[in-house]
Amino acid sequence: MPRKMLRNTNGAPYVSHISLEEYADWYQDFAVITREEGICVIRLHTNDGSAIISPGMHKAIPQILKYAGMDPDNEVIILTGTGDDLFAAMDAEALKTVAQSLAEDPLKLSDQLVELWPDALALANAVVFDVDVPTIGIMNGPTHTGLTQVFTYCDLTLMADDAYLYDSHFNRNLAPGDGLFQSLQKFIGDKRANYYGYTGANIDAKKALEWGMVNEVLPREELLPRALEIAQGMMKNERHVRRMTHALMRQRVARHLVEDLHFHVLSEGWGGTLSAINAAQRLKDGHTGPSTFVDDRLRESVEKSDQRKQ
């Protein structure tokens, strides 16, 4: 849709910005986006329940943040989930379909990696580099997969008292390189991050608060009201003060991402490449199933996720 040409006070032409109504409509299958008095709330969901991580959700999150960050009417951005879980599950069937497809035709892998590269970088980078206003992440419940880095890289992070997070990559036969493990290194230290990266053990709200990963732990129903209270306090200052303060607060996180994220993503991508090649070789050698090992690791990951929910 062509953008309307406007003119500023000096008469110079410029392209109108994309309105919240437009990008809220584009991404309605992935988020409910609202704004009141400059405070934008992005609530991730799948069918109006807790979000499920799918290829579509993976793409949508950084795109939503980019459009919300470009919108000059957004003065503070709050990112949250829906219901009792931050992310309820992975779309395991979609992942298995990709794994089987690659095992049957490894030449497809180059196309997959070309697509993976910008997506993986954008997921971690968007909330830091594409948003120039204060950000508050709300971890409204446990995450039964990943992507918590999007919330912990916000300026402030609030967490439900029964929530937990973990890095499941290694347990799914993947190097943990999409930004989640790097966020653990940043916020809880290398040695702790190594332990949780290898074991996939839970980091509960108490530990996350004690180790400086989140700022406040509250009952779930108090999280959004508290985030709005903080955001309203921010709005009492002038616009330039808010934006300059945000720039100061994101500086070290930005440097941290610039220094290491590309290497992390390359490591996960290269590891995934070798896994696909090995799966193709097993298929060629007559092993049953297109990708038995990948299927087993996915099944184990889903079973562990179900056990954590109990």
Side-chain angles (χ1 to χ4, degrees), residues 183-193 196 203 211 213:
S183 74
L184 297 183
Q185 291 178 312
K186 170 68 176 173
F187 294 115
I188 70 174
D190 291 345
K191 208 68 174 179
R192 286 189 186 122
Y196 287 99
I203 300 174
W211 293 341
M213 180 172 273

Side-chain angles (χ1 to χ4, degrees), residues 44-292:
L44 303 177
H45 73 93
T46 299
N47 297 324
D48 208 34
S50 296
I52 293 174
I53 294 182
S54 62
M57 181 65 75
H58 204 281
K59 279 181 172 292
I61 293 173
Q63 291 178 11
I64 291 168
L65 288 168
K66 181 181 286 290
Y67 284 115
M70 290 191 299
D71 188 340
D73 295 325
N74 293 333
E75 299 292 351
V76 180
I77 292 175
I78 298 173
L79 179 67
T80 186
T82 298
D84 293 340
D85 297 313
L86 180 57
F87 291 110
M90 289 185 302
D91 187 343
E93 287 303 313
L95 292 175
K96 188 163 68 172
T97 298
V98 171
Q100 290 173 340
S101 174
L102 294 180
E104 293 164 1
D105 184 2
L107 294 178
K108 294 179 182 177
L109 191 61
S110 60
D111 293 334
Q112 293 284 339
L113 289 175
V114 167
E115 189 170 348
L116 168 69
W117 174 255
D119 285 353
L121 291 175
L123 195 61
N125 282 333
V127 76
V128 177
F129 293 104
D130 292 336
V131 178
D132 290 318
V133 298
T135 53
I136 303 173
I138 298 177
M139 300 177 67
N140 58 288
T143 175
H144 301 287
T145 172
L147 305 193
T148 50
Q149 68 270 27
V150 183
F151 296 83
T152 57
Y153 280 143
C154 289
D155 296 341
L156 300 176
T157 305
L158 312 183
M159 190 172 187
D161 53 10
D162 64 348
Y164 54 81
L165 62 101
Y166 60 95
D167 190 337
S168 64
H169 284 83
F170 192 74
N171 288 334
R172 289 187 282 122
N173 196 43
L174 283 171
D178 70 341
L180 172 53
F181 176 67
Q182 189 182 355
S183 74
L184 297 183
Q185 291 178 312
K186 170 68 176 173
F187 294 115
I188 70 174
D190 291 345
K191 208 68 174 179
R192 286 189 186 122
N194 292 350
Y195 174 80
Y196 287 99
Y198 275 129
T199 65
N202 288 352
I203 300 174
D204 61 29
K206 181 179 178 181
K207 286 183 179 136
L209 180 64
E210 177 184 345
W211 293 341
M213 180 172 273
V214 302
N215 301 101
E216 294 185 17
V217 171
L218 297 164
R220 182 174 296 104
E221 64 274 10
E222 296 179 17
L223 289 168
L224 183 56
R226 176 57 177 151
L228 290 169
E229 179 185 13
I230 294 171
Q232 288 159 2
M234 294 173 175
M235 292 294 291
K236 293 178 181 178
N237 286 334
E238 292 183 277
R239 190 184 205 199
H240 64 272
V241 174
R242 289 194 301 270
R243 290 179 178 245
M244 290 178 182
T245 300
H246 167 74
L248 289 171
M249 291 185 177
R250 76 176 178 184
Q251 184 63 24
R252 290 191 178 184
V253 173
R255 185 181 300 118
H256 162 78
L257 289 172
V258 168
E259 288 176 351
D260 290 334
L261 182 59
H262 284 72
F263 175 69
H264 279 242
V265 174
L266 280 170
S267 297
E268 182 173 328
W270 178 233
T273 302
L274 296 178
S275 293
I277 292 171
N278 289 341
Q281 186 60 50
R282 285 191 292 274
L283 182 63
K284 182 179 178 181
D285 292 343
H287 288 244
T288 58
S291 182
T292 303

